[in-house]
Amino acid sequence: MTTPAVWSDAWNRATAAAQADGLKVLDQAAQNQDVPAGPFWVLETASSTSDRAGAGEPVNMEDGTVWLHLMVPKGTGSLPALTSRKVMSNAFRAATNLPPGLYYREHSFDPPDLNQAGNRIRFSLGIDYQYQDILT
């Protein structure tokens, strides 16, 4: 389970970076009816672990990955996609004003599958995070 504070921060940070780059971020759970004709981002999160820091501790430790997938129309070329992905990565590397207990860590860059079906190529960015909060 991803904590809402993590998802909200990632959404706001990714949306700001995408808008500065002239793109949109779509929430796949919102079932967007208007998909942009050009490139766009899709955000998802995945928690790998979430548990108390120790027996009886009120602190919960969550580790996971924020996944941002840049969906690029076929024929667009790799360089613009790689440039946009770098802009998005930098937005998380230089993160300020984080919610208390949230830390962004390593980034991974998933290569596109040039044989995938459909009209788009996916360039993915994974941002590992750690979030610590007090259980209430």
Side-chain angles (χ1 to χ4, degrees), residues 1-131:
M1 172 192 101
T2 301
T3 302
V6 174
W7 193 94
S8 294
D9 184 76
W11 175 264
N12 293 334
R13 199 167 300 283
T15 299
Q19 287 175 348
D21 200 26
L23 303 175
K24 288 185 174 183
V25 179
L26 302 183
D27 176 356
Q28 64 183 4
Q31 299 179 355
N32 298 288
Q33 299 298 315
D34 298 323
V35 176
F40 62 89
W41 289 95
V42 176
L43 171 83
E44 63 181 344
T45 58
S47 297
S48 57
T49 60
S50 180
D51 201 359
R52 288 187 177 208
E57 287 287 328
V59 176
N60 190 66
M61 305 279 289
E62 177 179 300
D63 292 298
T65 304
V66 173
W67 282 102
L68 286 151
H69 308 290
L70 179 60
M71 307 304 292
V72 179
K74 286 185 176 178
T76 303
S78 293
L79 187 56
L82 294 172
T83 302
S84 289
R85 190 168 64 178
K86 179 66 173 161
V87 167
M88 186 62 75
S89 176
N90 288 345
F92 283 82
R93 288 186 191 280
T96 59
N97 300 319
L98 292 167
L102 177 59
Y103 305 93
Y104 291 115
R105 305 282 189 209
E106 295 82 18
H107 293 206
S108 57
F109 304 94
D110 189 29
D113 177 2
L114 300 179
N115 293 317
Q116 69 189 50
N119 297 328
R120 298 190 183 266
I121 303 293
R122 176 187 50 81
F123 288 78
S124 295
L125 166 63
I127 304 156
D128 293 338
Y129 72 87
Q130 182 181 66
Y131 181 64

